[in-house]
Amino acid sequence: MLIFSGTSNRPLAEKIAEELGVDFGELEINTFPDNENRVMVLNKVLDEDVVLVQSTGISPNLYYMELFLILDGLKRSGAKSITLVMPYMGYQRQDHIFRSGEAVSLEVIVKIIEELGVDKTISFDLHSIKISEIFKKEIKELSALSLFAEKIKEMDLNDFTLVSPDMGGIRRIKILSELLNNAPYISIEKDRDLESGEIELSKINGKVTKIAIMVDDVISSGGTITKGAKFLLESGAEEVYAMAVHGIFAEEGHHNLENSDIKKVIVTDSIEIPEDRKFSKLEIISISKIISQELRK
Ligand code: R5P
């Protein structure tokens, strides 16, 4: 097995290769002055099973284009099988038609990667249960929720309640609750104006306790989490923590979270967070061992 990595999250790919004790394949990725990319596979991959690690994040279009070119390079060089490890798959919040005339962006991406020869895709905590149905080839959804459960146990908090910041996250919060001996959970009712993107929180379903731990799949602009935290604090919580599998921190998200009343924000390394977007309340936990375990099978 050979592991390759695009430029989106090389530290994670290196960790996985080290944990598995397998060789790291080299790619040459150049960007021309007009921002077009050129990709070249430098190792011999003829009849090899290869693993490609590429996530998205703040620059999904760049990383997807890079991914498509790497896949083409690997396939043309004779790779026997390609397993794509895509811990965060950008565009997954566009997994169906919300308003007539819209493209189903995730379906477009899945069509392309499967056409380019991906045999199996490994990803984490997908946005919705419907997403795996879009794939024709194998899709393995792994989860970072067990890491969050361990973290919460380590934090040794008394009388905490898990909070889903929207109704779409109920499935996730139920799983985490079970991992924590049926810890109590509540949910916030959130509406997003699809044209302006504005969020409105209308109601909390359940009892707010002193310590609230909000759990989401993704933090993008941070609007959902910061507004949710404010709502919980106004509704009786005294300490609010936030956990999300994927931390994009778009726009001013990192500053807004740092300046909010949230005590701590915990995300995984599914997306590489650049140094200038890290902040003092942020803690990053690694999903590498979960991926290595899956690849060992
Ligand atoms: C929405 O359904 C997702 O689960 C997240 O709550 C949302 O995408 C987070 O986005 P933002 O941080 O921009 O509010």
Side-chain angles (χ1 to χ4, degrees), residues 93 127 166 190 192 199 216-224:
R93 285 169 293 173
H127 180 63
D166 54 34
K190 174 181 99 175
R192 192 187 284 271
I199 293 167
D216 210 347
D217 56 336
V218 51
I219 296 178
S220 179
S221 68
T224 301

Side-chain angles (χ1 to χ4, degrees), residues 43 54 65 81 98 102 120 125 139 146 160 185 207 219 254 270 275 285-286:
N43 294 70
Q54 178 80 322
M65 196 60 209
S81 73
F98 292 89
E102 273 182 356
K120 174 179 177 176
D125 295 288
I139 165 83
S146 60
F160 67 85
Y185 65 87
K207 185 172 171 284
I219 296 178
H254 50 311
S270 67
E275 287 307 315
I285 50 183
S286 185

Side-chain angles (χ1 to χ4, degrees), residues 14 52 111 137 175 223 255:
E14 284 172 354
L52 170 61
K111 268 186 204 156
K137 304 262 183 73
I175 298 172
H255 292 310

